[in-house]
Amino acid sequence: MKYFQHIFQFLFTVGFLFSSGLLFSQDLKYKEYDSILLNTPKEMGKKNIPREKIILWNKEMLEKMKKENYVRGIIWAHINIANQCWNLGNGEESIKNLNAAESILHKNESEIDFFTIAKLYQEYSQAYYVMKLYDTGLKYNSKGGYYGNKIEDKDRRGKFLSYVYTTRANFLYEKKDLDSALYYLKQSSLLYESLSTTSQIANHYIEYQPSQNSAKAYLGQGMDIISKKKHDPNDYQISVFYYYYAQYFFKEKNYEKAIVFLDKALEYNKKLKTIEHTKNIYKLLISCYKNSGNLEKEKQYLEYYIKLKDSLENSQAKGVELSIKTIEKEKTEENKTLKKKIFIYSSIIIFLILLVLAYLYYQNHKKKKVILESKEIISRKEDETKVLERRISGVHEDLIQLAKNNDISFLEKFHEVYPNVSQKLLAINPDLTKDNLAFCALIWLGFSSKDIAEFTFMQHRSVQIKKSRLRKKLNLGSDVNLYQFLKSLVDN
């Protein structure tokens, strides 16, 4: 009896040690995957490897993580692909990958760390920024900040929150909340003195609340970060910094210096294919050459700008085509190597012929599918546009009726439908009252003085007096047609 007990105990101990060894080995493997997924895309970016190839590498890692059934690895592969997509201007593809990652997260939330969750929502935020959906982007930015504050590692938490605050500042600039934007930039800088944040603070004093002395001070800090290689700035950050420096000289009307820094910005950005940034560089170069009288260079960069704009529209299709070609090429090479070890030369030749035929068939089928999908997308977009036009027409009619009824909600509804009108007017004179804005709204909608007098229960002469006072507030002469002036402010 004791003999069997000893055997059982021995087998149990061996089994326990073996299973523990497997679990330990698996844990080490997963940690290695974490390190690869977090660090390799950054290293590839530093080496200026094209974003399409980084996407392809992450797609291969995604398939590997799926085979390994490693949930956190799958999520990070999707996050990495999404990051490269929005940098290429492809917000739609970015959102698709983030949706896939979030779906997996919800099913395995207890297994996922706060850094991964925070990173997922921050990437959502960036993708929506590219798509100009600022309110939605801010919502996800807040979620990223919420989970970012839960990150245990202090250094990682500080660096990540710095990134979140910088992104939030970008959203606030779009919403014209300049003071809050500057506040978050400075909070970001306190957490982590990166070249990116320093550059954006400098740009704040160049573009939004002009102060050349303040801008110069922060640009000096940026040059110090580059020269001393603090926090290891990457090529994109340096390129953006030089772009802001060019803006500084453009404001000084020193166009030659501005062009020098724009050339540097292009040099650091040439392999990155960060399309929006490249467009901004070209746009400023066009203005510099125009102001300096170099019409030939102005024309040259205008052509570059137009070509880049067209390429942006085709970036998704090109990215898919490049990925397919690269994958097929690598599969062919792998198959060649494998078959040389297994089959005789005649078998290899036969296999390659079949592979080529299959590849050609697949390519032909894929192209037809892409063309069909493109047509469907175009048709769907056209239908959406028609629906939107009908909605806008209906909203406009409702607005007209509110004006005729002298409804108190007229101005609020007008702001919702045509927000830029009041923004432009307040930019001219911040002291304009709600009554002034409502009066401008009635004129902008095309109502005559007689109509306005009738709807607002005023004398015709009182309307004329109000128009005269409004001209003074807007610094307009008596010969200026108010309706034409207001319509010229904002493209209808």
Side-chain angles (χ1 to χ4, degrees):
M1 186 71 176
K2 288 183 179 180
Y3 175 76
F4 286 109
Q5 284 180 341
H6 287 310
I7 291 176
F8 176 77
Q9 287 175 353
F10 174 75
L11 292 174
F12 177 80
T13 303
V14 170
F16 175 78
L17 291 172
F18 180 72
S19 61
S20 298
L22 283 176
L23 289 171
F24 180 72
S25 173
Q26 188 178 52
D27 188 50
L28 282 176
K29 181 171 65 175
Y30 286 166
K31 285 182 178 179
E32 184 180 352
Y33 287 152
D34 290 344
S35 177
I36 290 171
L37 285 163
L38 265 66
N39 297 317
T40 302
K42 295 177 185 176
E43 294 301 320
M44 294 172 81
K46 288 179 182 178
K47 293 176 183 177
N48 293 328
I49 293 173
R51 294 189 187 278
E52 290 88 352
K53 287 193 176 181
I54 301 177
I55 289 173
L56 183 61
W57 179 86
N58 277 288
K59 285 183 176 179
E60 291 173 352
M61 286 300 296
L62 177 60
E63 293 306 313
K64 186 175 180 66
M65 294 301 97
K66 286 179 178 178
K67 288 179 182 177
E68 295 281 352
N69 197 29
Y70 181 37
V71 173
R72 188 171 184 272
I74 295 170
I75 291 173
W76 268 100
H78 277 301
I79 289 173
N80 289 342
I81 294 169
N83 176 276
Q84 298 301 322
C85 285
W86 68 252
N87 269 293
L88 285 169
N90 191 346
E92 185 178 0
E93 192 63 29
S94 180
I95 294 297
K96 285 180 182 178
N97 277 277
L98 293 172
N99 286 343
E102 188 176 26
S103 176
I104 297 167
L105 169 66
H106 288 323
K107 295 174 184 175
N108 305 273
E109 201 155 355
S110 61
E111 302 175 29
I112 309 302
D113 61 291
F114 289 126
F115 176 56
T116 300
I117 300 172
K119 180 66 173 173
L120 171 65
Y121 290 127
Q122 175 59 15
E123 290 301 322
Y124 260 122
S125 168
Q126 293 282 28
Y128 282 118
Y129 181 83
V130 170
M131 298 168 74
K132 303 187 186 302
L133 298 172
Y134 303 125
D135 289 334
T136 305
L138 261 175
K139 181 184 73 174
Y140 279 101
N141 177 262
S142 296
K143 291 180 78 171
Y146 172 78
Y147 286 104
N149 271 302
K150 294 176 176 286
I151 297 171
E152 292 183 5
D153 185 281
K154 184 179 178 181
D155 291 336
R156 173 173 277 180
R157 181 172 67 246
K159 189 174 181 180
F160 181 79
L161 288 176
S162 172
Y163 177 43
V164 169
Y165 291 158
T166 302
T167 306
R168 187 173 299 173
N170 290 332
F171 282 112
L172 292 168
Y173 280 126
E174 297 296 341
K175 296 177 78 65
K176 311 301 180 188
D177 191 349
L178 303 183
D179 292 334
S180 296
L182 181 60
Y183 168 80
Y184 279 108
L185 283 177
K186 290 188 174 180
Q187 288 296 111
S188 172
S189 185
L190 289 173
L191 288 168
Y192 187 75
E193 187 194 15
S194 69
L195 178 62
S196 176
T197 306
T198 304
S199 300
Q200 286 191 255
I201 296 174
N203 184 57
H204 177 91
Y205 290 115
I206 296 168
E207 189 70 23
Y208 299 104
Q209 293 177 338
S211 171
Q212 291 294 84
N213 289 335
S214 297
K216 190 174 183 180
Y218 280 101
L219 289 170
Q221 288 182 28
M223 289 297 286
D224 185 59
I225 291 172
I226 292 174
S227 62
K228 294 180 181 178
K229 296 183 179 178
K230 292 181 182 178
H231 306 302
D232 195 21
N234 59 40
D235 284 0
Y236 174 70
Q237 293 170 339
I238 295 173
S239 177
V240 171
F241 172 77
Y242 285 142
Y243 169 74
Y244 290 148
Y245 222 134
Q247 281 190 316
Y248 168 82
F249 283 116
F250 184 82
K251 296 281 185 181
E252 295 278 314
K253 297 185 179 179
N254 189 340
Y255 305 119
E256 290 184 5
K257 274 274 192 181
I259 290 169
V260 169
F261 277 93
L262 287 170
D263 286 340
K264 287 183 178 182
L266 277 177
E267 180 65 24
Y268 276 93
N269 188 55
K270 64 182 180 181
K271 292 184 180 179
L272 298 174
K273 294 187 179 179
T274 308
I275 295 180
E276 283 298 327
H277 178 49
T278 308
K279 280 174 62 183
N280 290 335
I281 296 173
Y282 286 161
K283 192 173 182 179
L284 190 54
L285 274 168
I286 292 165
S287 297
C288 285
Y289 283 121
K290 181 179 181 179
N291 281 286
S292 61
N294 192 335
L295 299 180
E296 184 178 345
K297 282 285 187 179
E298 179 193 354
K299 181 181 177 183
Q300 178 186 340
Y301 280 100
L302 183 59
E303 289 174 356
Y304 290 162
Y305 180 83
I306 293 169
K307 188 182 294 183
L308 190 64
K309 185 180 178 183
D310 292 340
S311 72
L312 183 59
E313 296 171 0
N314 299 319
S315 62
Q316 185 178 5
K318 288 182 179 179
V320 172
E321 184 179 351
L322 177 63
S323 298
I324 292 170
K325 286 182 178 179
T326 307
I327 291 170
E328 291 300 325
K329 183 179 179 181
E330 290 179 359
K331 283 185 177 180
T332 302
E333 293 300 321
E334 288 175 4
N335 282 326
K336 283 180 180 179
T337 303
L338 180 63
K339 296 306 175 181
K340 281 178 182 177
K341 297 177 182 179
I342 301 174
F343 299 110
I344 60 174
Y345 287 104
S346 59
S347 299
I348 295 174
I349 294 170
I350 293 170
F351 175 78
L352 288 174
I353 292 171
L354 292 173
L355 186 63
V356 169
L357 290 173
Y359 172 77
L360 292 173
Y361 172 79
Y362 176 75
Q363 284 289 87
N364 186 50
H365 177 73
K366 191 69 177 178
K367 285 179 181 178
K368 288 180 179 178
K369 186 177 179 181
V370 168
I371 291 169
L372 183 61
E373 288 176 351
S374 298
K375 288 180 178 179
E376 289 176 353
I377 290 170
I378 291 169
S379 176
R380 189 165 65 250
K381 292 293 182 185
E382 287 175 349
D383 291 342
E384 289 173 358
T385 301
K386 289 176 181 177
V387 171
L388 182 59
E389 287 174 351
R390 289 196 293 270
R391 285 180 181 174
I392 290 172
S393 176
V395 170
H396 185 81
E397 290 302 318
D398 290 343
L399 192 59
I400 295 293
Q401 195 58 48
L402 288 174
K404 289 180 178 180
N405 295 338
N406 197 26
D407 195 297
I408 59 172
S409 65
F410 164 69
L411 182 58
E412 183 182 350
K413 188 68 175 178
F414 183 82
H415 286 162
E416 291 178 12
V417 181
Y418 304 109
N420 289 339
V421 177
S422 294
Q423 289 174 8
K424 293 283 186 178
L425 287 167
L426 289 171
I428 297 171
N429 186 348
D431 295 329
L432 290 174
T433 65
K434 286 186 177 180
D435 185 55
N436 294 148
L437 295 174
F439 191 67
C440 289
L442 290 168
I443 297 171
W444 193 88
L445 288 169
F447 291 120
S448 66
S449 297
K450 182 181 176 182
D451 293 333
I452 295 171
E454 180 184 343
F455 302 152
T456 58
F457 309 107
M458 295 170 59
Q459 295 294 326
H460 185 271
R461 176 170 174 74
S462 298
V463 175
Q464 294 302 114
I465 292 170
K466 287 190 75 169
K467 282 189 175 182
S468 178
R469 290 174 180 169
L470 183 61
R471 283 192 177 89
K472 288 180 180 179
K473 286 191 174 186
L474 296 175
N475 298 318
L476 301 175
S478 58
D479 58 331
V480 176
N481 184 297
L482 267 177
Y483 172 75
Q484 291 178 353
F485 169 76
L486 291 172
K487 294 301 280 187
S488 70
L489 287 177
V490 179
D491 183 12
N492 194 15

